[in-house]
Amino acid sequence: MSKFQEVKIYYDQQIRGKLRGFVEGNPRIEGAWLTIKQWTPNNPERILEIGCGIGDISWRMSHCWPESEVVGLDISPKSIEIARKLFGSPRVSFVEGPLTEGILHGKFDLIVLLDVYEHIAIADRPILHEALRQLLSERGRLILAFPTPRKQANLKQYHPEEIQPVDEDINNVTILALAEQTETEVFLYQEVDIWHEGDYAHAVLGKRTDWLPAIRNYGFKQGIRGKIRDFVLGRERSIVTTRAKRLALLHQKLGPEYYSN
């Protein structure tokens, strides 16, 4: 079995955990969402999520920027099947496969990779970087969230069963190389505290084409716990839903056997 097939099978087997995260909320996702909202360019016309899983973040972005076209990409056939059933719409589409030449067309103002970049083998990065360079618009932003090397070391020592088939360390030097090869600047590199101090990091890369006044937006002041509570209770204004409605949507589109209390 090739490494690619091994990875596809692995992600096909993670569906239940992804559905749980959608219904119940996930601190890692809520932390990344703060950075996405703060750093997305104004009025993005097209948004791409690489490694979209079951599509819940693509769906959330479509609510936050209702004039945007959102495309989700994932190598897991089962994830894409679920995403299309749950969240597919005229403005939200899902594509199965790796990011190879010709699979996507046009430019994107926002490209998001949440817990994806660390799962790209080092040998495969140049292909990804070139694809990102070609897909980013002139005002495009690239937003990444990933575990820090500290987090990876802890997993390898205490929870090796959670290490994925490809799980590389990502640090600020890695992100600088990504910026150079995608012809972007590093706007942000920040460690964040999700479950432990400095266990995750967020990076924002992009191109500056205008001289704009600063807008102060310190999104992390509320804290991850508060954002989870808002999401679960339906206070997140960009998501017209509550936990009960998310669960009802899942049962309506997929059937109650996929997830229950």
Side-chain angles (χ1 to χ4, degrees):
M1 180 186 301
S2 69
K3 177 62 71 173
F4 180 70
Q5 288 298 325
E6 181 184 352
V7 171
K8 285 179 63 174
I9 291 171
Y10 176 86
Y11 289 119
D12 278 349
Q13 294 171 343
Q14 306 305 309
I15 298 297
R16 182 170 178 80
K18 294 174 183 178
L19 292 172
R20 182 184 304 109
F22 166 60
V23 174
E24 307 295 346
N26 184 317
R28 172 177 55 78
I29 296 299
E30 299 313 311
W33 181 245
L34 293 177
T35 296
I36 291 172
K37 288 210 303 182
Q38 182 177 355
W39 286 93
T40 293
N42 293 329
N43 304 314
E45 293 184 12
R46 301 186 76 216
I47 297 172
L48 170 64
E49 183 186 9
I50 299 173
C52 66
I54 62 167
D56 50 321
I57 302 305
S58 293
W59 170 76
R60 190 187 293 204
M61 290 190 290
S62 75
H63 279 279
C64 194
W65 296 285
E67 302 302 318
S68 301
E69 174 194 357
V70 182
V71 179
L73 176 74
D74 202 283
I75 64 171
S76 164
K78 289 186 178 179
S79 294
I80 292 297
E81 178 185 359
I82 295 290
R84 287 170 176 164
K85 289 180 179 179
L86 277 175
F87 306 118
S89 74
R91 291 194 307 104
V92 184
S93 61
F94 298 97
V95 178
E96 177 194 334
L99 184 54
T100 54
E101 185 176 355
I103 195 170
L104 298 171
H105 302 282
K107 302 286 187 177
F108 293 89
D109 297 323
L110 174 63
I111 301 179
V112 174
L113 297 91
L114 303 186
D115 284 74
V116 171
Y117 193 57
E118 69 272 22
H119 304 310
I120 304 298
I122 293 174
D124 295 334
R125 285 180 189 169
I127 296 174
L128 172 66
H129 295 174
E130 177 58 21
L132 293 173
R133 187 188 69 80
Q134 293 187 28
L135 289 170
L136 275 173
S137 72
E138 283 303 310
R139 66 186 188 110
R141 298 277 174 90
L142 179 61
I143 299 179
L144 305 93
F146 46 90
T148 60
R150 182 184 303 111
K151 171 70 171 177
Q152 295 284 64
N154 181 271
L155 288 178
K156 291 171 183 176
Q157 182 173 359
Y158 298 107
H159 304 283
E161 72 282 357
E162 296 185 23
I163 295 295
Q164 300 189 21
V166 177
D167 229 327
E168 304 286 355
D169 282 352
I170 306 297
N171 56 29
N172 56 342
V173 176
T174 315
I175 296 302
L176 284 172
L178 171 62
E180 180 180 4
Q181 294 178 29
T182 54
E183 298 179 357
T184 57
E185 302 175 47
V186 178
F187 293 169
L188 173 78
Y189 181 90
Q190 178 182 26
E191 289 193 355
V192 297
D193 305 338
I194 304 299
W195 289 286
H196 299 89
E197 288 187 356
D199 53 353
Y200 278 82
H202 298 165
V204 180
L205 290 71
K207 305 174 183 180
R208 297 196 190 276
T209 57
D210 299 308
W211 188 253
L212 301 174
I215 299 175
R216 288 175 172 79
N217 182 0
Y218 303 109
F220 275 90
K221 282 196 171 182
Q222 181 184 359
I224 303 303
R225 293 182 185 276
K227 294 303 295 181
I228 292 250
R229 182 171 61 251
D230 286 354
F231 180 67
V232 171
L233 296 178
R235 296 174 183 162
E236 171 60 68
R237 292 186 178 180
S238 65
I239 304 296
V240 286
T241 185
T242 63
R243 180 191 182 279
K245 290 182 178 179
R246 292 193 298 274
L247 185 61
L249 173 66
L250 192 154
H251 286 173
Q252 176 189 358
K253 296 294 183 71
L254 302 180
E257 67 275 9
Y258 275 85
Y259 188 85
S260 58
N261 292 328

